Amino acid sequence: MLRSLKTYRLPALASLLAAGLLLSSCDNGFEQLNTNPNALTTPVIPNLLSYSQVKTAGTGYENHRGNLIYAGALIQHFSSLTTYWSGDKYLYNAPYSDAYFETAYGEHVKNVEQIIALTKGDAAQVNLYNIARIWRVFVYHRITDLYGDIPYSQAGQGYLTSVFSPKYDKQADIYANMLTELDQAAVALDNTKTGYGAADLIYAGDLTKWKKFAYSMMLRLGMRLTKVDAAAAQTYVKKAIAGGVMQSNDDLAKINHAEGNDNTRNLDGNTLRTQEYDAANLKGKANSKLSNTFINFLKNNNDPRLPYIATLWQGNANPALEATATDPAKQKGLPNGYDAQTIKSLIPGWGATDSLPAYSEANLNKIASNSAPTVFQSYAEVEYLLAEAAVRGWGDGQAAVHYNKGVTAAMSMMSLYGGTVSAAAITTYLTAHPYLSAGTTAQQMEQIGTQYWAVNFLNSYEAYANWRRTGYPVLTPTNYVGNETAGVIPRRLRYPSTESSKNAAQYNAAIAVQGPDLLTTRIWWDK
């Protein structure tokens, strides 16, 4: 029902027309006779939004490859000794690099484009239209942030306008349009008209929260422009703040999950559970672990989130052992950029006194459980961006206040995953790690950017984008033998290999503008 892009077409239309001519003298009841009572002839618009939201939260395929194996390892949330974890070693794996692009256009894009086409200009459906515009920005901004120039203005139009070879729009143009869309859609939401109700799996049709999400997204996207167009960045950051961004964790944009099937469970967590850790069988000898960069940050700073994020394998195999397995003192991250042989040169005695079962995995009973929510944008992230705006002189000048609110929100978010970080623990953390009010701008930006990276664990798409923009946290690149980048952290993913053949003219035009289709080519806002 939800994937209804072709549901309007009557079967064998030419045959029906011919029959109509032959039977024109006895056509009473013909339409009823030749209509399938079980066919969907008109799309259910709220279902189209539900479908797009669920699939944007993940299908499993692109989560594993785009979010975890590439972005998650590039940003050093994850580490692996296997070579198929391509991001860990800066290798190019075509199916893995392709995955998000292919899934986004195949699953996320088409339904939201259809909603917009069906509701545009209809005053009664103004909220359906404008919520779809806001959601459309989220869908596309993640694609363009991963790949650069992408199909945008003509994308998802195959059924609607018969455009089957969409052009690639320049990222500069895409960003300009996305920011305009957020600006217009937020203002156009109308409390006197109906919305999606329960079919909206993010906010249940709450227009006030959608408006906050629109301006919070504007804040995120406006900040993306800081390196390439500081004036535009300042304009949109100020506009977002004036419009009204998220105010608490109640406003964050998320989809809740539950045990069940691939339409209900969190597929990042489920992928780690079934394809990576499989604790009961692998007993800690998993294909991936948490990076020592990430674990060391949490552990060295006595971060109270650590037990809810990391565990030894025993905690994943048996929840009854979780308390012991999540002991912060026992957590250890795996270095990035090594395989099962080269790790021996780094760690003497590897395989005898020090081996994989001693290294931390994501906690599948808490932050990475099947029932953990997918967070598209958090309130904590918004507060960190407001802190950055204050540092830049674009906000209210209260960087420390926003930083403290961000840390508090990030730690309080553990309640979403079945954890509890007390107010006292948060106060202790902030006392030990206060905002660097007397520090340099670079030190303040690093402090904010590093917390932004930490709160976006399992939303590595966003952590990767913000790292490319700010350079924080400072990451030490690896230089695995045979890597694609000469030991430089990749700046984008490559387009699907099929684009150079199936959409050759448009693909060639895109790389002529953006640059070679390589992992090292910088996208527009990352110049």
Side-chain angles (χ1 to χ4, degrees):
M1 177 179 291
L2 297 178
R3 296 183 67 179
S4 56
L5 292 179
K6 298 182 179 179
T7 53
Y8 316 141
R9 298 179 180 176
L10 293 175
L13 181 58
S15 298
L16 290 178
L17 288 174
L21 292 173
L22 291 171
L23 300 173
S24 59
S25 61
C26 53
D27 63 358
N28 186 35
F30 178 80
E31 181 177 354
Q32 291 81 0
L33 181 66
N34 287 277
T35 299
N36 179 357
N38 298 314
L40 179 66
T41 57
T42 303
V44 180
I45 292 174
N47 287 356
L48 296 177
L49 181 73
S50 300
Y51 184 87
S52 181
Q53 290 176 340
V54 167
K55 294 306 178 183
T56 303
T59 70
Y61 168 71
E62 85 289 0
N63 290 60
H64 192 203
R65 298 179 174 192
N67 190 35
L68 303 179
I69 286 178
Y70 261 115
L74 291 174
I75 206 66
Q76 297 181 13
H77 284 150
F78 289 92
S79 180
S80 178
L81 297 181
T82 64
T83 54
Y84 81 83
W85 269 73
S86 315
D88 179 74
K89 299 168 179 61
Y90 315 157
L91 303 175
Y92 171 58
N93 182 315
Y96 289 14
S97 182
D98 298 356
Y100 197 85
F101 189 105
E102 292 177 336
T103 304
Y105 284 107
E107 300 284 357
H108 315 162
V109 165
K110 291 189 293 186
N111 292 276
V112 73
E113 290 288 0
Q114 191 178 18
I115 295 172
I116 288 171
L118 292 169
T119 58
K120 186 176 183 179
D122 186 341
Q125 300 189 89
V126 63
N127 291 326
L128 305 186
Y129 173 61
N130 285 293
I131 286 174
R133 293 170 78 188
I134 296 167
W135 183 241
R136 179 179 181 269
V137 169
F138 182 89
V139 167
Y140 279 108
H141 101 271
R142 188 180 276 177
I143 310 172
T144 188
D145 286 350
L146 281 174
Y147 296 94
D149 296 355
I150 58 166
Y152 179 72
S153 59
Q154 296 180 346
Q157 299 294 308
Y159 176 77
L160 298 169
T161 61
S162 299
V163 175
F164 302 111
S165 298
K167 70 175 183 178
Y168 283 61
D169 294 275
K170 295 178 182 178
Q171 189 177 63
D173 297 334
I174 295 170
Y175 258 77
N177 184 263
M178 290 192 301
L179 287 162
T180 298
E181 285 288 284
L182 291 173
D183 194 15
Q184 293 178 354
V187 173
L189 293 173
D190 187 345
N191 286 318
T192 68
K193 302 291 175 61
T194 59
Y196 287 95
D200 168 17
L201 303 178
I202 298 176
Y203 290 127
D206 188 321
L207 299 183
T208 299
K209 290 187 176 182
W210 270 104
K211 188 171 184 178
K212 291 179 183 178
F213 182 38
Y215 284 118
S216 299
M217 283 293 298
M218 184 184 292
L219 179 63
R220 176 193 277 185
L221 300 189
M223 279 296 189
R224 277 290 198 274
L225 309 183
T226 52
K227 285 202 298 187
V228 71
D229 191 342
Q234 180 177 4
T235 295
Y236 278 103
V237 166
K238 287 183 173 180
K239 182 171 287 195
I241 294 170
V245 295
M246 296 177 187
Q247 298 297 308
S248 73
N249 279 339
D250 289 339
D251 294 330
L252 57 76
K254 66 179 173 64
I255 281 186
N256 292 322
H257 294 288
E259 293 283 358
N261 56 41
D262 284 357
N263 288 323
T264 62
R265 58 194 171 206
N266 184 307
L267 292 177
D268 280 312
N270 191 64
T271 295
L272 290 172
R273 181 181 302 278
T274 59
Q275 297 188 45
E276 293 300 326
Y277 300 152
D278 190 12
N281 294 311
L282 293 176
K283 300 184 184 305
K285 296 180 180 180
N287 290 331
S288 64
K289 295 286 185 175
L290 297 185
S291 169
N292 66 338
T293 306
F294 187 47
I295 291 296
N296 289 348
F297 168 76
L298 297 172
K299 189 173 179 179
N300 294 344
N301 290 292
N302 295 315
D303 195 308
R305 293 172 290 184
L306 181 55
Y308 307 122
I309 293 174
T311 182
L312 299 181
W313 71 270
Q314 293 91 341
N316 282 334
N318 183 355
L321 300 176
E322 184 181 357
T324 300
T326 59
D327 181 352
K330 296 180 180 179
Q331 304 313 308
K332 182 162 53 174
L334 184 69
N336 290 90
Y338 293 88
D339 61 28
Q341 295 303 314
T342 59
I343 192 72
K344 296 176 182 178
S345 66
L346 179 71
I347 304 176
W350 178 270
T353 62
D354 203 1
S355 56
L356 278 176
Y359 288 82
S360 301
E361 304 174 353
N363 189 333
L364 300 181
N365 301 308
K366 293 294 190 293
I367 200 167
S369 73
N370 281 351
S371 57
T374 294
V375 177
F376 298 115
Q377 187 176 28
S378 69
Y379 164 60
E381 172 195 321
V382 170
E383 285 293 350
Y384 293 139
L385 291 173
L386 291 174
E388 180 181 342
V391 171
R392 292 179 178 276
W394 300 347
D396 58 11
Q398 301 185 61
V401 171
H402 292 297
Y403 176 82
N404 290 344
K405 285 183 177 180
V407 170
T408 300
M411 293 187 176
S412 299
M413 271 179 65
M414 291 299 101
S415 64
L416 297 176
Y417 310 105
T420 301
V421 177
S422 68
I426 297 171
T427 298
T428 298
Y429 183 88
L430 287 171
T431 299
H433 309 288
Y435 177 72
L436 300 174
S437 297
T440 65
T441 298
Q443 288 172 328
Q444 292 167 349
M445 292 288 287
E446 180 175 11
Q447 189 177 26
I448 295 166
T450 302
Q451 291 290 353
Y452 194 101
W453 164 78
V455 78
N456 278 305
F457 174 62
L458 290 184
N459 184 11
S460 295
Y461 300 120
E462 181 58 26
Y464 179 44
N466 202 60
W467 172 81
R468 284 176 287 163
R469 178 182 71 86
T470 66
Y472 299 119
V474 176
L475 301 175
T476 301
T478 66
N479 198 10
Y480 184 76
V481 174
N483 73 81
E484 294 283 324
T485 67
V488 174
I489 299 176
R491 309 302 293 199
R492 64 183 285 272
L493 298 187
R494 290 176 58 176
Y495 297 125
S497 50
T498 54
E499 284 293 286
S500 62
S501 56
K502 293 183 178 180
N503 197 16
Q506 306 292 5
Y507 167 84
N508 289 330
I511 62 173
V513 173
Q514 179 166 272
D517 189 11
L518 300 173
L519 298 175
T520 51
T521 296
R522 292 185 179 233
I523 61 179
W524 170 73
W525 55 250
D526 186 31
K527 299 297 186 183

PDB file of all heavy atoms in Angstrom, residues 123-129 131 189-197 205 207:
ATOM      1  N   ALA A 123      -5.229  24.317  -0.618  1.00  0.00           N
ATOM      2  CA  ALA A 123      -5.272  25.028   0.664  1.00  0.00           C
ATOM      3  C   ALA A 123      -5.677  24.116   1.813  1.00  0.00           C
ATOM      4  O   ALA A 123      -5.237  24.299   2.951  1.00  0.00           O
ATOM      5  CB  ALA A 123      -6.246  26.206   0.561  1.00  0.00           C
ATOM      6  N   ALA A 124      -6.510  23.132   1.535  1.00  0.00           N
ATOM      7  CA  ALA A 124      -6.966  22.224   2.586  1.00  0.00           C
ATOM      8  C   ALA A 124      -5.850  21.306   3.068  1.00  0.00           C
ATOM      9  O   ALA A 124      -5.918  20.761   4.171  1.00  0.00           O
ATOM     10  CB  ALA A 124      -8.150  21.396   2.087  1.00  0.00           C
ATOM     11  N   GLN A 125      -4.841  21.127   2.221  1.00  0.00           N
ATOM     12  CA  GLN A 125      -3.745  20.215   2.568  1.00  0.00           C
ATOM     13  C   GLN A 125      -2.436  20.963   2.796  1.00  0.00           C
ATOM     14  O   GLN A 125      -1.357  20.417   2.612  1.00  0.00           O
ATOM     15  CB  GLN A 125      -3.567  19.172   1.458  1.00  0.00           C
ATOM     16  CG  GLN A 125      -4.815  18.335   1.223  1.00  0.00           C
ATOM     17  CD  GLN A 125      -4.561  17.175   0.284  1.00  0.00           C
ATOM     18  OE1 GLN A 125      -4.180  16.094   0.707  1.00  0.00           O
ATOM     19  NE2 GLN A 125      -4.762  17.412  -0.997  1.00  0.00           N
ATOM     20  N   VAL A 126      -2.538  22.199   3.242  1.00  0.00           N
ATOM     21  CA  VAL A 126      -1.359  23.042   3.390  1.00  0.00           C
ATOM     22  C   VAL A 126      -0.346  22.445   4.363  1.00  0.00           C
ATOM     23  O   VAL A 126       0.862  22.548   4.155  1.00  0.00           O
ATOM     24  CB  VAL A 126      -1.769  24.469   3.823  1.00  0.00           C
ATOM     25  CG1 VAL A 126      -2.435  24.465   5.185  1.00  0.00           C
ATOM     26  CG2 VAL A 126      -0.570  25.399   3.811  1.00  0.00           C
ATOM     27  N   ASN A 127      -0.834  21.792   5.420  1.00  0.00           N
ATOM     28  CA  ASN A 127       0.101  21.213   6.384  1.00  0.00           C
ATOM     29  C   ASN A 127       0.754  19.945   5.859  1.00  0.00           C
ATOM     30  O   ASN A 127       1.933  19.688   6.127  1.00  0.00           O
ATOM     31  CB  ASN A 127      -0.606  20.947   7.707  1.00  0.00           C
ATOM     32  CG  ASN A 127      -0.988  22.240   8.416  1.00  0.00           C
ATOM     33  OD1 ASN A 127      -0.275  23.241   8.326  1.00  0.00           O
ATOM     34  ND2 ASN A 127      -2.119  22.239   9.108  1.00  0.00           N
ATOM     35  N   LEU A 128      -0.015  19.152   5.103  1.00  0.00           N
ATOM     36  CA  LEU A 128       0.581  17.967   4.485  1.00  0.00           C
ATOM     37  C   LEU A 128       1.695  18.381   3.531  1.00  0.00           C
ATOM     38  O   LEU A 128       2.772  17.768   3.483  1.00  0.00           O
ATOM     39  CB  LEU A 128      -0.479  17.162   3.729  1.00  0.00           C
ATOM     40  CG  LEU A 128      -1.722  16.720   4.501  1.00  0.00           C
ATOM     41  CD1 LEU A 128      -2.581  15.811   3.638  1.00  0.00           C
ATOM     42  CD2 LEU A 128      -1.342  16.029   5.800  1.00  0.00           C
ATOM     43  N   TYR A 129       1.446  19.427   2.791  1.00  0.00           N
ATOM     44  CA  TYR A 129       2.412  19.928   1.814  1.00  0.00           C
ATOM     45  C   TYR A 129       3.668  20.461   2.491  1.00  0.00           C
ATOM     46  O   TYR A 129       4.795  20.107   2.129  1.00  0.00           O
ATOM     47  CB  TYR A 129       1.744  21.022   0.972  1.00  0.00           C
ATOM     48  CG  TYR A 129       2.658  21.755   0.024  1.00  0.00           C
ATOM     49  CD1 TYR A 129       3.322  21.077  -0.996  1.00  0.00           C
ATOM     50  CD2 TYR A 129       2.840  23.131   0.132  1.00  0.00           C
ATOM     51  CE1 TYR A 129       4.159  21.751  -1.879  1.00  0.00           C
ATOM     52  CE2 TYR A 129       3.666  23.817  -0.743  1.00  0.00           C
ATOM     53  CZ  TYR A 129       4.323  23.115  -1.750  1.00  0.00           C
ATOM     54  OH  TYR A 129       5.151  23.791  -2.615  1.00  0.00           O
ATOM     55  N   ILE A 131       4.811  20.118   5.689  1.00  0.00           N
ATOM     56  CA  ILE A 131       5.575  19.131   6.447  1.00  0.00           C
ATOM     57  C   ILE A 131       6.397  18.283   5.499  1.00  0.00           C
ATOM     58  O   ILE A 131       7.564  17.955   5.773  1.00  0.00           O
ATOM     59  CB  ILE A 131       4.637  18.273   7.322  1.00  0.00           C
ATOM     60  CG1 ILE A 131       4.155  19.091   8.521  1.00  0.00           C
ATOM     61  CG2 ILE A 131       5.330  16.994   7.789  1.00  0.00           C
ATOM     62  CD1 ILE A 131       3.111  18.398   9.363  1.00  0.00           C
ATOM     63  N   LEU A 189       2.969  26.721   7.860  1.00  0.00           N
ATOM     64  CA  LEU A 189       2.195  25.777   8.666  1.00  0.00           C
ATOM     65  C   LEU A 189       1.010  26.497   9.307  1.00  0.00           C
ATOM     66  O   LEU A 189       1.147  27.602   9.823  1.00  0.00           O
ATOM     67  CB  LEU A 189       3.079  25.139   9.733  1.00  0.00           C
ATOM     68  CG  LEU A 189       4.192  24.217   9.211  1.00  0.00           C
ATOM     69  CD1 LEU A 189       5.107  23.795  10.342  1.00  0.00           C
ATOM     70  CD2 LEU A 189       3.614  23.003   8.506  1.00  0.00           C
ATOM     71  N   ASP A 190      -0.161  25.861   9.266  1.00  0.00           N
ATOM     72  CA  ASP A 190      -1.415  26.521   9.635  1.00  0.00           C
ATOM     73  C   ASP A 190      -2.142  25.711  10.699  1.00  0.00           C
ATOM     74  O   ASP A 190      -2.642  24.608  10.431  1.00  0.00           O
ATOM     75  CB  ASP A 190      -2.296  26.662   8.388  1.00  0.00           C
ATOM     76  CG  ASP A 190      -3.543  27.476   8.633  1.00  0.00           C
ATOM     77  OD1 ASP A 190      -3.895  27.709   9.802  1.00  0.00           O
ATOM     78  OD2 ASP A 190      -4.186  27.872   7.642  1.00  0.00           O
ATOM     79  N   ASN A 191      -2.220  26.250  11.911  1.00  0.00           N
ATOM     80  CA  ASN A 191      -2.855  25.531  13.020  1.00  0.00           C
ATOM     81  C   ASN A 191      -4.362  25.348  12.847  1.00  0.00           C
ATOM     82  O   ASN A 191      -4.977  24.580  13.585  1.00  0.00           O
ATOM     83  CB  ASN A 191      -2.583  26.262  14.339  1.00  0.00           C
ATOM     84  CG  ASN A 191      -1.159  26.079  14.812  1.00  0.00           C
ATOM     85  OD1 ASN A 191      -0.606  24.985  14.737  1.00  0.00           O
ATOM     86  ND2 ASN A 191      -0.535  27.158  15.285  1.00  0.00           N
ATOM     87  N   THR A 192      -4.948  26.030  11.884  1.00  0.00           N
ATOM     88  CA  THR A 192      -6.392  25.879  11.673  1.00  0.00           C
ATOM     89  C   THR A 192      -6.716  24.744  10.711  1.00  0.00           C
ATOM     90  O   THR A 192      -7.888  24.433  10.500  1.00  0.00           O
ATOM     91  CB  THR A 192      -6.995  27.185  11.118  1.00  0.00           C
ATOM     92  OG1 THR A 192      -6.515  27.406   9.775  1.00  0.00           O
ATOM     93  CG2 THR A 192      -6.639  28.368  11.993  1.00  0.00           C
ATOM     94  N   LYS A 193      -5.684  24.137  10.124  1.00  0.00           N
ATOM     95  CA  LYS A 193      -5.895  23.061   9.144  1.00  0.00           C
ATOM     96  C   LYS A 193      -5.375  21.731   9.709  1.00  0.00           C
ATOM     97  O   LYS A 193      -4.561  21.708  10.632  1.00  0.00           O
ATOM     98  CB  LYS A 193      -5.157  23.384   7.837  1.00  0.00           C
ATOM     99  CG  LYS A 193      -5.582  24.702   7.197  1.00  0.00           C
ATOM    100  CD  LYS A 193      -7.000  24.621   6.654  1.00  0.00           C
ATOM    101  CE  LYS A 193      -7.479  25.971   6.119  1.00  0.00           C
ATOM    102  NZ  LYS A 193      -6.650  26.469   5.012  1.00  0.00           N
ATOM    103  N   THR A 194      -5.854  20.661   9.148  1.00  0.00           N
ATOM    104  CA  THR A 194      -5.468  19.336   9.624  1.00  0.00           C
ATOM    105  C   THR A 194      -4.061  18.958   9.154  1.00  0.00           C
ATOM    106  O   THR A 194      -3.534  19.533   8.197  1.00  0.00           O
ATOM    107  CB  THR A 194      -6.457  18.266   9.127  1.00  0.00           C
ATOM    108  OG1 THR A 194      -6.469  18.291   7.684  1.00  0.00           O
ATOM    109  CG2 THR A 194      -7.850  18.535   9.657  1.00  0.00           C
ATOM    110  N   GLY A 195      -3.482  17.988   9.837  1.00  0.00           N
ATOM    111  CA  GLY A 195      -2.155  17.488   9.482  1.00  0.00           C
ATOM    112  C   GLY A 195      -2.178  15.984   9.308  1.00  0.00           C
ATOM    113  O   GLY A 195      -3.214  15.400   8.988  1.00  0.00           O
ATOM    114  N   TYR A 196      -1.058  15.347   9.593  1.00  0.00           N
ATOM    115  CA  TYR A 196      -0.928  13.904   9.365  1.00  0.00           C
ATOM    116  C   TYR A 196      -1.417  13.072  10.541  1.00  0.00           C
ATOM    117  O   TYR A 196      -1.675  11.877  10.386  1.00  0.00           O
ATOM    118  CB  TYR A 196       0.536  13.556   9.095  1.00  0.00           C
ATOM    119  CG  TYR A 196       1.035  13.994   7.749  1.00  0.00           C
ATOM    120  CD1 TYR A 196       1.700  15.199   7.588  1.00  0.00           C
ATOM    121  CD2 TYR A 196       0.842  13.195   6.625  1.00  0.00           C
ATOM    122  CE1 TYR A 196       2.173  15.597   6.352  1.00  0.00           C
ATOM    123  CE2 TYR A 196       1.314  13.588   5.379  1.00  0.00           C
ATOM    124  CZ  TYR A 196       1.977  14.798   5.255  1.00  0.00           C
ATOM    125  OH  TYR A 196       2.433  15.186   4.017  1.00  0.00           O
ATOM    126  N   GLY A 197      -1.503  13.669  11.727  1.00  0.00           N
ATOM    127  CA  GLY A 197      -1.913  12.897  12.885  1.00  0.00           C
ATOM    128  C   GLY A 197      -0.943  11.772  13.179  1.00  0.00           C
ATOM    129  O   GLY A 197       0.271  11.908  13.045  1.00  0.00           O
ATOM    130  N   GLY A 205       1.966  14.789  14.058  1.00  0.00           N
ATOM    131  CA  GLY A 205       1.215  15.905  13.509  1.00  0.00           C
ATOM    132  C   GLY A 205       1.318  17.199  14.285  1.00  0.00           C
ATOM    133  O   GLY A 205       0.610  18.163  13.974  1.00  0.00           O
ATOM    134  N   LEU A 207       2.285  20.577  14.867  1.00  0.00           N
ATOM    135  CA  LEU A 207       2.823  21.603  13.973  1.00  0.00           C
ATOM    136  C   LEU A 207       3.857  22.482  14.662  1.00  0.00           C
ATOM    137  O   LEU A 207       4.810  22.949  14.022  1.00  0.00           O
ATOM    138  CB  LEU A 207       1.684  22.466  13.430  1.00  0.00           C
ATOM    139  CG  LEU A 207       0.611  21.743  12.613  1.00  0.00           C
ATOM    140  CD1 LEU A 207      -0.405  22.757  12.079  1.00  0.00           C
ATOM    141  CD2 LEU A 207       1.230  20.962  11.461  1.00  0.00           C
TER     142      LEU A 207
END
